[in-house]
Amino acid sequence: MSDNPYSGSAIKRGAGHFIVGKGLSALLTFVLLLWLVRLLSVTEYAAYITLLAALDVTLIFANVGLPWMDARYLPEFRLHASKAMLSRFVAQLIQYQLGVLLLLAVSGWGCLDWILAKLEMAAYVQAAQLYIFILVVDGIGRRLRESILTNLLLQKLIQINQTIRSVVFLGGLVVLYYLGEINLTYVVAAELVASIVSVLHALIGLWWHLKGIDTLEKPDWKIPKWSVMWRMALNMYFSEIITQVYGVQVFTLVIRYTLGEEPTAVFGFLRNLYGQTRNYLPATLLFGLIRPKLVASYVGDGGIAELTRNANMVGKISLFILMPLLVFSWLAGEELVALLSGGKFLHTGYYFPGFLSSLILLSQRQILETVAMVTGNSHLCNYGGLLGIVTLPMAYLLIEWGFQLWAPIIALWVGSILYCSIIVRGIERKTAYHADLSGYYKMLLAALLAYLASQMMIVTGQSWIWIILLAIVACCTFLLTAAIIKPFSDAERLRINQLIKRNLFVW
């Protein structure tokens, strides 16, 4: 068996743990999402969505590029450093993150009254105070799960940890429900308890893993300088901050400020469904396995050729999963939202499919950022982020002109087009990387033909049986049209069939 912690067998083992654990955690997360929208009033749910968006935005500002440092250098330290050096590096990364989170938490506590007054949420001061504690605790927890443990390929620990957090949170809600104490403050308190349990479990698991490593420093390896690591990390951080200025979390706050509670609740629920869809696309779902392997292969013998092949194939597989979902959402998005919300959000029109359509390009973002990072072109992410900032005032103007929730959806589309275009063109000029645009266009054409074909076959309805049948029709028509158009190349089909050990992939 290979001693390489990023070998093919290690990736497959991690994938097995990931798939089993993610299935359970996905179910628990979906149950939490649907139960919360039913337990809380529209006003409290809007406040909860606003607090969650503020947390997400703050955590993005708090990362100061450290997740990118994890992604780029943790695999290198794991492969070449001694046990003591790796442990010290991990400890330093956690300490940096904790320091930034504490600084932001103290600042947020001091400004809390002013922030709540601006958002017209003064009635929820206790919930907001608890969320400042969640900022620190869950900030460390997310950093461990989504970055440090991920780049050490500790998928078994990650999935157990995520499941523990969801189970504790869900258990807390069950207790509150039977005690008759359901309100926003108690819900946030239950989430805080779940976050504390989760972060303690993750830290103990990480400590045991580092304690069990038995490696020596490679004699020909030079420790990367902190100045070099910070330069790359801050490049990626700057682009991430700029793009978050016109990200979906900020749009949630803008909607709260301009349109009020009910549109915020609708947008928040759609955003949660959109987020769940994005999180379970292959390019996002498996990225904790994909990115370490991409980095390791590029710094090894594969070079830009192997990176290009892998990046294109992963991006197209992700779109291949997304396309039937898009076809289905355009056919029955409004009815699906109404059923999932328990009838709370009716007449949402094409907001949900419009939201999902932005994933066509956003699903490729992490792949392109990784290519830019490992090829030494992380500055391209800054240019793309700066150009896309025009979408924030554009969204505000569209709201003022009466576009309602279409304003942030259009802005998401424009921002993702600008961002991805800048990175792709820049990388193609400076390296041998080449995006397979022909394959992507074929995928879109197959989805369009599937939608038109499905429209001619369906009849109207609003039951769950009708929804399920329509989903089957959308999936089958897309698979048929894609089998005819064939968006994947012969080489990609061969690689996928070799991976699954069956000659089944014909697209």
Side-chain angles (χ1 to χ4, degrees):
M1 183 179 292
S2 174
D3 293 329
N4 186 342
Y6 300 97
S7 65
S9 60
I11 296 292
K12 289 181 180 179
R13 186 167 57 251
H17 294 147
F18 179 87
I19 292 170
V20 173
K22 205 65 175 179
L24 179 57
S25 63
L27 177 62
L28 292 170
T29 301
F30 197 63
V31 169
L32 283 168
L33 188 159
L34 297 185
W35 202 22
L36 279 173
V37 77
R38 288 165 168 79
L39 287 176
L40 298 173
S41 66
V42 172
T43 301
E44 285 190 320
Y45 187 72
Y48 179 74
I49 288 298
T50 305
L51 290 173
L52 193 59
L55 174 70
D56 289 341
V57 171
T58 307
L59 287 178
I60 290 167
F61 277 90
N63 74 49
V64 295
L66 288 169
W68 288 102
M69 194 180 294
D70 299 343
R72 174 59 184 86
Y73 293 105
L74 263 180
E76 185 171 341
F77 271 79
R78 181 65 182 88
L79 289 170
H80 303 305
S82 66
K83 172 182 175 178
M85 292 172 61
L86 174 62
S87 299
R88 185 167 58 250
F89 183 58
V90 170
Q92 288 173 318
L93 293 173
I94 295 173
Q95 288 166 5
Y96 285 138
Q97 185 66 85
L98 180 60
V100 175
L101 287 169
L102 289 173
L103 180 62
L104 287 174
V106 172
S107 302
W109 192 279
C111 301
L112 190 59
D113 291 339
W114 176 80
I115 295 171
L116 293 177
K118 285 293 182 182
L119 295 174
E120 298 181 355
M121 289 177 53
Y124 303 107
V125 62
Q126 289 181 316
Q129 288 171 341
L130 289 174
Y131 245 90
I132 290 179
F133 288 101
I134 289 178
L135 168 66
V136 178
V137 178
D138 207 38
I140 291 295
R142 291 194 197 187
R143 180 73 193 292
L144 289 168
R145 283 192 304 272
E146 300 172 6
S147 190
I148 293 175
L149 299 178
T150 293
N151 287 293
L152 292 173
L153 284 188
L154 299 178
Q155 281 299 326
K156 183 178 181 180
L157 176 59
I158 294 168
Q159 299 311 318
I160 293 174
N161 185 259
Q162 182 64 57
T163 301
I164 287 174
R165 187 187 187 281
S166 298
V167 167
V168 174
F169 189 14
L170 189 59
L173 292 181
V174 170
V175 171
L176 292 174
Y177 179 77
Y178 281 105
L179 292 177
E181 298 288 351
I182 289 292
N183 62 53
L184 182 60
T185 301
Y186 287 127
V187 167
V188 173
E191 187 173 2
L192 176 58
V193 172
S195 297
I196 292 172
V197 173
S198 173
V199 78
L200 289 175
H201 173 265
L203 286 171
I204 293 171
L206 176 61
W207 179 75
W208 273 107
H209 173 74
L210 294 176
K211 184 181 177 181
I213 290 176
D214 186 19
T215 57
L216 300 174
E217 181 183 353
K218 298 294 174 62
D220 58 344
W221 178 65
K222 294 183 179 179
I223 302 175
K225 295 181 179 179
W226 278 101
S227 59
V228 175
M229 292 192 286
W230 276 115
R231 189 180 306 118
M232 181 280 300
L234 291 175
N235 264 336
M236 300 306 297
Y237 174 67
F238 181 70
S239 68
E240 190 173 15
I241 290 299
I242 293 299
T243 53
Q244 287 306 314
V245 170
Y246 50 92
V248 66
Q249 294 90 348
V250 172
F251 287 141
T252 303
L253 301 178
V254 171
I255 290 168
R256 172 82 193 200
Y257 182 74
T258 56
L259 297 178
E261 293 175 347
E262 188 171 348
T264 303
V266 174
F267 186 79
F269 186 67
L270 295 177
R271 191 199 78 177
N272 284 337
L273 294 178
Y274 155 90
Q276 287 298 303
T277 305
R278 180 179 183 179
N279 289 341
Y280 293 99
L281 291 175
T284 306
L285 181 66
L286 300 175
F287 208 64
L289 300 169
I290 293 168
R291 183 162 61 186
K293 182 64 176 179
L294 289 178
V295 173
S297 64
Y298 180 79
V299 299
D301 299 327
I304 190 64
E306 186 66 18
L307 182 63
T308 299
R309 284 193 293 269
N310 289 337
N312 279 325
M313 190 170 73
V314 171
K316 286 162 71 174
I317 290 173
S318 193
L319 283 183
F320 187 74
I321 302 299
L322 175 62
M323 287 300 120
L325 297 177
L326 283 180
V327 173
F328 168 63
S329 69
W330 281 101
L331 293 170
E334 185 176 37
E335 293 81 0
L336 179 65
V337 170
L339 288 171
L340 289 176
S341 66
K344 272 191 176 178
F345 304 127
L346 306 173
H347 312 300
T348 54
Y350 288 101
Y351 286 147
F352 182 53
F355 227 142
L356 283 189
S357 296
S358 66
L359 288 177
I360 293 173
L361 285 173
L362 286 174
S363 65
Q364 309 299 304
R365 172 173 171 163
Q366 286 182 307
I367 299 169
L368 294 175
E369 287 176 335
T370 301
V371 173
M373 176 189 70
V374 299
T375 58
N377 293 291
S378 57
H379 61 280
L380 293 172
C381 301
N382 294 340
Y383 299 151
L386 283 171
L387 185 60
I389 204 170
V390 298
T391 59
L392 183 60
M394 181 186 78
Y396 185 81
L397 287 174
L398 289 174
I399 290 174
E400 292 295 313
W401 292 340
F403 278 73
Q404 298 291 313
L405 297 185
W406 276 113
I409 293 171
I410 293 171
L412 279 174
W413 260 102
V414 174
S416 59
I417 290 171
L418 293 173
Y419 187 82
C420 292
S421 298
I422 289 292
I423 295 179
V424 169
R425 294 196 176 201
I427 296 174
E428 287 183 340
R429 285 196 190 101
K430 297 186 177 185
T431 71
Y433 175 82
H434 178 69
D436 186 10
L437 296 180
S438 174
Y440 296 142
Y441 292 148
K442 288 180 180 180
M443 202 89 69
L444 292 174
L445 178 59
L448 176 60
L449 294 176
Y451 171 74
L452 295 175
S454 299
Q455 276 281 26
M456 293 186 288
M457 291 187 285
I458 66 171
V459 294
T460 57
Q462 291 185 330
S463 67
W464 276 113
I465 294 176
W466 179 78
I467 288 285
I468 293 170
L469 290 175
L470 193 55
I472 294 172
V473 169
C475 183
C476 290
T477 52
F478 172 75
L479 291 177
L480 179 60
T481 55
I484 297 171
I485 295 174
K486 296 197 180 301
F488 291 87
S489 67
D490 293 337
E492 288 170 336
R493 283 193 292 275
L494 179 61
R495 292 183 70 186
I496 294 171
N497 282 323
Q498 288 175 340
L499 182 65
I500 63 177
K501 300 184 188 299
R502 296 288 188 278
N503 193 26
L504 299 175
F505 196 83
V506 298
W507 294 277

